[in-house]
Amino acid sequence: MPSTRTEQSTTPSPAREIARIAVPVSMEFVLMLVLNFVNQIVVGGLGATAIAAVGFSNSLTFILAVTLGCIGTSVSILVARAHGAGRRGDLDHTVTAAVLVALAVGGVVSVVPWFLADHLLGAVGASPSVAAAGTDYFRLTVLATLPVMLSAILSGVLRSVGRPTSPMIATMVTVVANSVIAYSLVVGVGPLPSLGVAGAGWATLVTAVAKTGILLVMAYGRSGVIGWSLPDTRAQWRAVVVPLFVLALPLGVTELFWTVGTFLYNVVFQQLGDRALAAAQIVTTLEGVFVVGSIGLMSATTTLVGRSIGRGDVGDAVAWVRRLTRAGIGTAVVFGVLFAASVLLLDTLFGEAGREVRTMAGVGILLNALFQVVKVRNMIIGAGVLPSANDVRGVIIGDVVGAFGVGLPLAVLLGLHTPLGFVGVVLARIVEELVKLAVFTWRARRVSWDRLVVAA
């Protein structure tokens, strides 16, 4: 009997287990978004065009980073299952294969856009002033795609094996470094040159490489949790690579649809002028800081549900889904209120952007804050529950119907052909989120967890 009490006292409660994974992950992503926000504030002193240039360039590199980051999501799910089942050999083989794939793919997608940077921004919809200001920044940040891919893989692995604070520590170090480097190179501190917008690009590239180096030491170093292990036979390679791509390719498709949709909204904002685009970037960056306060629940979903599936425990997997979706409502309300309150900081942070830009940004912040719960729920179900249940098709359906079937056509109609303008595009994006919620909820109710456990 005493041993039973001791075991119960040392077993973490579900809420504590969720927090153990979700809090470090949320803090890590908040820090990453703060990094982008600091860059935006630094270049904001150069005016609205500089803000628009950084935001437009980021929306392009975001397509690459998030789409290719699907490999990291796929690895985290597979590693969580292998870790839950105690299959260390499969775990090491999976991570090794993923790193090799990232090196090959990331190298290509980093270099090719670099050569096309001179004409790419203008060709995809940027105004001449935005393209001129953002080309050097884009060229530098696109080179960061490879280290960003590797960081996503290693961070997902560390979280799935029970080391969720390690990626957060790496991010804390690099965020501080990025802020210092960006400010020093944008404005020119001491003997350093004043590089303007390009200075923020150099800061992003340097710190992305540094973060990858830190994570490599954490994962493979003396106290690391994984080992470099190539599969020995063709059958072992097939057993590792096939599941990796079965998850990664559909995830990549859905991330591509989502990020391209986000970029096309920026093209619509650009049609309304540089000021509208600048205001949209302020809203997006600030919203990101508060939305990712709940993003740890997404990682907790893939980790905890994946471990339960690996153990063959259907009831536990379903219970985690219910707990995590409920937790999302609470965090979304709290961070939604904080997001709405951020309008009070616009005059202080973006004084050089102009009154019109700040007014549009304030309206966009308040409208989006009202629907924070919807966006967080979509994040948990669409990026956590459905991928964990191998229903990536449901995510693709939601993203395609929401963005391309409803949101973007409505944005063009309301933004460019009615007096609503900027507000019309913001409202269209909110309608997109409501459509996605309906699709994701429908697909989640169709998941057969028993069949999934048998297949795993």
Side-chain angles (χ1 to χ4, degrees):
M1 183 67 79
S3 61
T4 302
R5 287 198 300 269
T6 302
E7 181 179 347
Q8 290 176 343
S9 64
T10 57
T11 301
S13 66
R16 184 172 296 178
E17 185 69 10
I18 291 173
R20 190 179 70 84
I21 298 172
V23 171
V25 174
S26 292
M27 290 181 65
E28 177 191 353
F29 277 88
V30 167
L31 288 169
M32 291 169 64
L33 268 294
V34 167
L35 180 152
N36 290 336
F37 184 52
V38 168
N39 282 350
Q40 196 172 76
I41 293 174
V42 171
V43 301
L46 304 176
T49 299
I51 296 174
V54 168
F56 198 86
S57 299
N58 283 343
S59 65
L60 269 179
T61 55
F62 189 61
I63 294 174
L64 294 176
V66 175
T67 301
L68 297 176
C70 67
I71 298 175
T73 304
S74 176
V75 169
S76 66
I77 293 171
L78 295 174
V79 167
R81 293 177 183 176
H83 184 67
R87 303 192 304 265
R88 175 59 190 266
D90 290 347
L91 191 157
D92 289 343
H93 289 165
T94 298
V95 179
T96 302
V99 169
L100 292 175
V101 170
L103 289 171
V105 176
V108 173
V109 299
S110 296
V111 173
V112 173
W114 186 89
F115 283 109
L116 303 175
D118 287 335
H119 307 289
L120 189 57
L121 293 181
V124 296
S127 68
S129 57
V130 167
T135 295
D136 288 340
Y137 175 85
F138 173 73
R139 180 177 278 115
L140 291 163
T141 53
V142 78
L143 289 177
T145 302
L146 174 56
V148 167
M149 282 185 66
L150 293 172
S151 293
I153 291 171
L154 296 170
S155 295
V157 170
L158 288 167
R159 295 185 198 110
S160 294
V161 299
R163 294 272 295 273
T165 59
S166 296
M168 182 189 69
I169 293 170
T171 301
M172 289 176 62
V173 173
T174 51
V175 162
V176 173
N178 181 277
S179 302
V180 174
I181 296 171
Y183 178 78
S184 301
L185 292 178
V186 169
V187 303
V189 175
L192 296 176
S194 176
L195 300 178
V197 173
W202 276 111
T204 299
L205 177 58
V206 170
T207 52
V209 173
K211 181 177 178 179
T212 300
I214 295 171
L215 290 171
L216 283 169
V217 172
M218 290 177 169
Y220 288 102
R222 185 173 299 177
S223 59
V225 292
I226 54 177
W228 184 267
S229 178
L230 290 170
D232 297 322
T233 65
R234 181 178 298 180
Q236 286 183 344
W237 274 105
R238 188 182 301 112
V240 170
V241 173
V242 171
L244 179 66
F245 281 97
V246 164
L247 277 173
L249 288 178
L251 283 171
V253 171
T254 188
E255 297 292 10
L256 180 63
F257 281 129
W258 175 55
T259 53
V260 169
T262 300
F263 171 72
L264 291 176
Y265 277 111
N266 284 332
V267 174
V268 178
F269 281 122
Q270 176 70 96
Q271 296 302 306
L272 297 172
D274 288 0
R275 291 186 178 88
L277 179 58
Q281 301 316 306
I282 293 172
V283 174
T284 300
T285 306
L286 271 172
E287 181 182 31
V289 172
F290 294 101
V291 166
V292 298
S294 303
I295 202 171
L297 296 173
M298 179 190 73
S299 295
T301 301
T302 57
T303 299
L304 296 172
V305 173
R307 290 178 187 173
S308 298
I309 292 172
R311 292 193 298 267
D313 193 336
V314 176
D316 199 41
V318 174
W320 281 122
V321 170
R322 291 173 180 165
R323 295 181 190 116
L324 288 155
T325 50
R326 285 198 302 266
I329 296 175
T331 62
V333 170
V334 172
F335 287 111
V337 172
L338 294 174
F339 178 37
S342 69
V343 297
L344 302 175
L345 303 175
L346 292 178
D347 286 346
T348 301
L349 298 176
F350 298 100
E352 300 297 324
R355 173 59 61 184
E356 183 181 1
V357 171
R358 296 195 299 274
T359 300
M360 286 189 289
V363 173
I365 287 170
L366 293 175
L367 287 173
N368 279 283
L370 288 173
F371 292 88
Q372 187 94 321
V373 171
V374 175
K375 294 189 176 185
V376 170
R377 194 169 180 84
N378 282 341
M379 182 172 62
I380 294 172
I381 300 176
V385 176
L386 294 181
S388 295
N390 286 354
D391 185 20
V392 184
R393 180 183 298 177
V395 186
I396 295 174
I397 294 172
D399 284 336
V400 171
V401 173
F404 298 95
V406 178
L408 284 164
L410 190 60
V412 172
L413 175 64
L414 297 180
L416 304 183
H417 300 287
T418 75
L420 289 173
F422 178 87
V423 174
V425 182
V426 174
L427 290 174
R429 297 201 70 174
I430 292 172
V431 172
E432 174 194 329
E433 293 294 333
L434 292 170
V435 172
K436 286 163 64 175
L437 177 62
V439 174
F440 291 162
T441 302
W442 164 60
R443 296 295 295 195
R445 290 173 179 169
R446 289 164 48 92
V447 171
S448 175
W449 295 102
D450 292 297
R451 186 182 304 169
L452 182 66
V453 167
V454 172

